[in-house]
């Protein structure tokens, strides 16, 4: 697998973990931002896997460009579902709202966004046969937090 793809998927996995930690700390805005970051990194990895080197170069530094590339390359190309794209779009909109609005995101909405990010990253990993990047050696406390959040 391409090194850039591995790095983006590694970042996606870390951002999902960070979003759970922020959610546990009741930082719903931060959790939403990290959830979107996770989805964006996974989407970039999928786009890099999907385009041929001979294709026109896509600038993936802009959120708008990534969003359009996800729609054109991944959704229209049949690589991800419209439901996955909707979750990605919703997370993007929510992340933008946290930056522009002084009111915090509702915790339950943040939890839903974090779960969607986890599912999106897992889906991308499975659909594109990306190997999972191993996490830090001791995830015991994080796993307990995650399990407690899943029960709520």
């Amino acid at each position: 697998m391409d090194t850039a793809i591995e790095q983006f998927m590694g970042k996606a996995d870390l951002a999902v973990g960070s979003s759970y930690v922020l959610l546990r700390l009741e930082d719903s805005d931060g959790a939403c931002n990290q959830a979107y970051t996770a989805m964006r990194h996974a989407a970039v990895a999928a786009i890099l896997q999907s385009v041929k080197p001979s294709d026109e170069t896509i600038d993936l530094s802009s959120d708008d460009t990534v969003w359009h590339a996800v729609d054109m390359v991944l959704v229209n190309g049949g690589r991800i579902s419209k439901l996955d794209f909707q979750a990605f779009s919703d997370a993007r909109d929510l992340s933008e709202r946290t930056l522009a609005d002084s009111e915090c995101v509702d915790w339950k909405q943040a939890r839903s966004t974090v779960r969607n990010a986890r599912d999106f990253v897992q889906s991308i990993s499975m659909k594109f046969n990306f190997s999972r990047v191993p996490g830090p050696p001791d995830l015991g406390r994080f796993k307990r937090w995650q399990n407690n959040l899943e029960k709520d």
Side-chain angles (χ1 to χ4, degrees):
M1 184 182 344
D2 184 283
T3 304
I5 293 171
E6 288 176 354
Q7 289 174 341
F8 277 111
M9 285 308 295
K11 286 180 174 187
D13 285 334
L14 285 173
V16 167
S18 295
S19 68
Y20 271 100
V21 170
L22 289 167
L23 193 60
R24 178 67 178 159
L25 294 171
E26 298 183 9
D27 179 359
S28 55
D29 285 4
C32 288
N33 288 328
Q34 282 300 311
Y36 170 64
T37 298
M39 295 170 100
R40 186 184 190 287
H41 287 318
V44 168
I47 292 164
L48 290 173
Q49 180 77 17
S50 298
V51 294
K52 299 173 191 151
S54 61
D55 287 348
E56 187 176 319
T57 303
I58 302 172
D59 177 16
L60 298 173
S61 62
S62 156
D63 280 346
D64 287 338
T65 307
V66 170
W67 185 86
H68 286 291
V70 169
D71 188 22
M72 298 303 295
V73 174
L74 301 180
V75 177
N76 291 342
R79 303 297 307 261
I80 68 169
S81 70
K82 289 184 180 185
L83 190 61
D84 280 341
F85 180 63
Q86 186 61 52
F88 176 74
S89 294
D90 290 347
R92 178 180 182 235
D93 293 344
L94 194 57
S95 179
E96 287 177 353
R97 194 178 94 204
T98 66
L99 299 173
D101 196 349
S102 62
E103 214 167 296
C104 290
V105 173
D106 176 67
W107 189 87
K108 287 183 180 180
Q109 188 176 17
R111 180 181 62 184
S112 175
T113 302
V114 168
R115 288 177 177 169
N116 287 343
R118 176 203 60 205
D119 295 345
F120 183 87
V121 171
Q122 288 176 345
S123 176
I124 293 289
S125 183
M126 289 174 23
K127 288 177 183 174
F128 289 84
N129 296 318
F130 294 148
S131 60
R132 302 303 287 190
V133 177
D138 180 14
L139 286 176
R141 186 186 312 173
F142 168 71
K143 290 294 182 190
R144 285 191 298 279
W145 282 357
Q146 186 177 12
N147 290 337
N148 288 337
L149 288 172
E150 296 298 324
K151 291 177 189 174
D152 292 337

